Amino acid sequence: MSAQAQDVHDDGEMLTVDELAAATGLTVRTTRYYAGLGLIPPPARRGRMAYYSAQHRARLELIRALQDHGFTLAAIEKYLARLPEDASVEDLAVQRAMLTSWKSGGHEVVTRRQLETRIGRRLDDTQVERLEAMMSIRPVEEGRYELLPAFDVGVKSLDLDIPVDSLVAAGEAINRHMDALADELTAILKDRVLAPYLVSARTEADKARFEQTMSRLRQLTLEAVVSGFQRAANQVISRSLSR
């Protein structure tokens, strides 16, 4: 590890732990904790001072992206262990761009009371079950729930006179098709977008443009999925009326 650790510092950027923490939006304590877990390589030593490189910064940014996806520290450690030992800063940036959450905001976990405050009403067990069926919340431990991207949709469904089992069936159908769609789109992204990028010369400007492209691509993909479903649903209606 020591030879590899020495190599990652020869990239021009030398940061103190305070500067590294500020650059990645972490606290110094958290940064040191991650270093203690071995999630980032040891720093370079210059006398009594420890310095961190762009490699450390890229790894910490990747760790934050993994956390945004709900990865535990144990899962993050396993993920990082699968990366090539010679993964460059650019390679880590690509990994992070691929992992950037498709929803805005982080994972918010609330208590039952906080959930009711957020919605503005008391909830009985049936209504909580309905929110779970709509994939609006996910129980993470006793009395605590993670708010999911479909939270607002689920809240609006509370007043609909629809059996819960129908919502469960609809949720299962959505999940089944969305998982398959996500797999296929991810494969296209890796083969048609990432592969050409990785074999080309990459400057700092190239990396910035790539991240902007990925961000815009996520937005356009979501819009295309909604538009595609609307078009398909209209075609189903038209076919049923013509029979």
Side-chain angles (χ1 to χ4, degrees):
M1 170 69 79
S2 59
Q4 179 188 352
Q6 183 64 39
D7 288 343
V8 300
H9 305 298
D10 300 330
D11 52 20
E13 184 175 38
M14 302 293 284
L15 305 171
T16 65
V17 66
D18 298 89
E19 292 169 337
L20 178 64
T24 55
L26 299 171
T27 64
V28 171
R29 181 178 180 180
T30 298
T31 302
R32 286 178 170 153
Y33 177 63
Y34 290 166
L37 293 177
L39 297 181
I40 60 175
R45 292 286 176 179
R46 300 291 185 269
R48 299 179 60 183
M49 290 294 296
Y51 290 98
Y52 298 83
S53 68
Q55 177 75 228
H56 293 99
R57 178 173 179 173
R59 279 187 171 262
L60 286 175
E61 288 172 342
L62 177 56
I63 290 169
R64 292 199 66 181
L66 289 164
Q67 287 178 322
D68 284 344
H69 275 278
F71 280 52
T72 63
L73 286 178
I76 290 173
E77 184 176 7
K78 291 180 181 179
Y79 183 94
L80 294 176
R82 293 197 300 267
L83 294 177
E85 289 190 0
D86 59 348
S88 67
V89 172
E90 291 83 1
D91 293 331
L92 294 173
V94 169
Q95 290 282 334
R96 179 169 60 85
M98 283 290 295
L99 286 165
T100 301
S101 180
W102 287 63
K103 72 180 182 67
S104 58
H107 293 256
E108 184 177 359
V109 176
V110 298
T111 64
R112 175 77 171 257
R113 177 171 296 182
Q114 290 170 330
L115 177 63
E116 292 175 338
T117 299
R118 176 70 65 88
I119 295 174
R121 68 166 78 177
R122 295 293 299 272
L123 299 173
D124 57 35
D125 290 342
T126 299
Q127 290 172 319
V128 173
E129 181 184 359
R130 180 181 290 264
L131 290 174
E132 292 181 25
M134 286 292 292
M135 296 172 290
S136 301
I137 61 174
R138 179 176 67 87
V140 292
E141 56 189 46
E142 185 64 30
R144 293 173 65 81
Y145 304 88
E146 179 187 356
L147 305 187
L148 300 177
F151 177 72
D152 291 338
V153 175
V155 171
K156 293 176 182 177
S157 77
L158 289 176
D159 295 323
L160 297 179
D161 188 17
I162 300 175
V164 172
D165 60 353
S166 67
L167 295 177
V168 172
E172 290 175 347
I174 291 171
N175 269 342
R176 184 168 59 254
H177 292 286
M178 288 300 101
D179 286 348
L181 178 60
D183 284 341
E184 188 169 352
L185 289 177
T186 299
I188 293 172
L189 182 63
K190 287 181 177 179
D191 295 340
R192 307 293 180 86
V193 179
L194 282 179
Y197 173 79
L198 289 173
V199 299
S200 63
R202 287 163 281 167
T203 65
E204 288 296 325
D206 292 331
K207 289 186 290 183
R209 282 195 298 271
F210 179 76
E211 293 206 24
Q212 291 175 354
T213 297
M214 291 294 293
S215 176
R216 182 60 177 154
L217 182 59
R218 281 190 289 272
Q219 179 183 351
L220 292 175
T221 300
L222 292 174
E223 293 175 1
V225 169
V226 173
S227 177
F229 176 79
Q230 291 172 332
R231 183 177 62 255
N234 287 333
Q235 289 172 348
V236 169
I237 294 172
S238 297
R239 287 196 299 271
S240 65
L241 293 176
S242 63
R243 292 172 183 169

